[in-house]
Amino acid sequence: MFIVTNFWGSFPNRWTASTGLSGTSVSQASSLWDCLKHCRRQDALFLINCAPGLVYQLASVFTAFPAWRRPLISVDLVLRRPSRVQDHLAHGLKRFLLDRVDHHILFHKDVSGYQSCYGISPERCSFVPFKVSLPVSGSTPVSPDGEYVLCYGRSQRDWETFFEAMRHVPYPAATSPLSVPKRLIGQLPKNVRLVEDENTQEAQIRILSRAKLVVLPILKTNIAASGLSVCFNAMGLGKCVIGSEGPAFTGMFSNDEMLLVPPGDPVALAQTIRRAWEGDEFRHATAMRAHRHVMQTGGRDALYQRIIDAVGRWHQRRSEGCVSQAAAGTGTASEMG
């Protein structure tokens, strides 16, 4: 098998899946043309990471030109519930094109939102654990202590709930000016300050290292793995993390590794912040269990291998005849493990 992917970095040129499937790859195929020039290869498979536009483009081309059709697998395809008028207008087309994607490799377990909004069933998805993306090493301080409650990152953050929760507690808090929307800068509670953020890995390590708690309040409407990168990075630095129940975190960690609260509930969030801030032993134990969990996931190479193994399992099921094909000769898989 020949994998065509838009992954950068060290995606292996030669690979072997746990099923025994092996092959070669070409990476950095970040445009439609980069991908289509490999369509002549009968053994090609397109593995597209975190690029919905490219997935839609390939699905469109494969629908219009069935002879060019090759297996199409998405990785970390982040989808949203339609909210604006233009989202609703495009929703039907997106569902149609996503039905032409053979398989979805995801970093979150709960795909109920994907199924209800886009018709993507759990059988068409594979879950693989994410990884710590910061260069955490033996020289990086790992500590569950710090000086503030930190809300960090941008994707699907529920800032109103975080701000209201911080009005219920007396502890110092912080966020990044690159995280909080500009329209809300003037609404920060008195105990929430902005910290310098140069948008580098070094800056993220500095900001997370100084946190006593990391809070990731996610919007109720979220259906994807929002906040997962910051979550893993914070845990990699030994921080106790509080998140919202929902697709982003539910089922990802045990109850004694991550503290979950109902989304959109500032009172519950404030109570959990108070418990973790004041309960040193409780916070330390939670943080260290989470730290051990995420450090076992390995680095980038280990993540690539998990993705390759998921491709191998999908291919095995298809070869064994467990994959049903969509009508009209599209070659779309509707049941893949």
Side-chain angles (χ1 to χ4, degrees), residues 131-207:
K131 66 172 181 64
V132 178
S133 56
L134 292 177
V136 177
S137 64
S139 61
T140 306
V142 173
S143 171
D145 293 319
E147 60 187 76
Y148 48 61
V149 178
L150 177 67
C151 188
Y152 194 62
R154 288 170 286 192
S155 178
Q156 296 289 289
R157 299 300 191 271
D158 186 352
W159 292 102
E160 286 81 1
T161 293
F162 173 66
F163 290 164
E164 186 61 27
M166 292 313 303
R167 293 187 180 98
H168 285 77
V169 294
Y171 318 121
T175 186
S176 163
L178 302 181
S179 296
V180 65
K182 291 183 179 180
R183 61 181 176 82
L184 297 178
I185 291 290
Q187 301 179 29
L188 268 64
K190 293 181 180 179
N191 57 338
V192 179
R193 64 185 175 92
L194 298 176
V195 295
E196 292 185 7
D197 186 357
E198 297 83 17
N199 196 29
T200 62
Q201 286 190 334
E202 292 76 15
Q204 186 174 163
I205 291 174
R206 183 186 70 244
I207 293 167

Side-chain angles (χ1 to χ4, degrees), residues 60-95:
S60 299
V61 170
F62 292 159
T63 301
F65 303 97
W68 295 2
R69 176 80 165 102
R70 298 292 181 269
L72 174 58
I73 296 180
S74 76
V75 180
D76 192 24
L77 183 69
V78 178
L79 300 174
R80 308 295 187 206
R81 292 186 186 274
S83 57
R84 302 169 299 177
V85 173
Q86 55 267 42
D87 296 334
H88 287 281
L89 292 175
H91 185 64
L93 177 60
K94 287 182 178 180
R95 280 191 63 132

Side-chain angles (χ1 to χ4, degrees), residues 271-290:
Q271 291 173 343
T272 304
I273 289 173
R274 185 183 298 276
R275 180 188 180 195
W277 182 279
E278 298 182 359
D280 290 347
E281 184 177 348
F282 169 72
R283 185 182 68 258
H284 287 205
T286 302
M288 290 301 99
R289 283 189 290 265

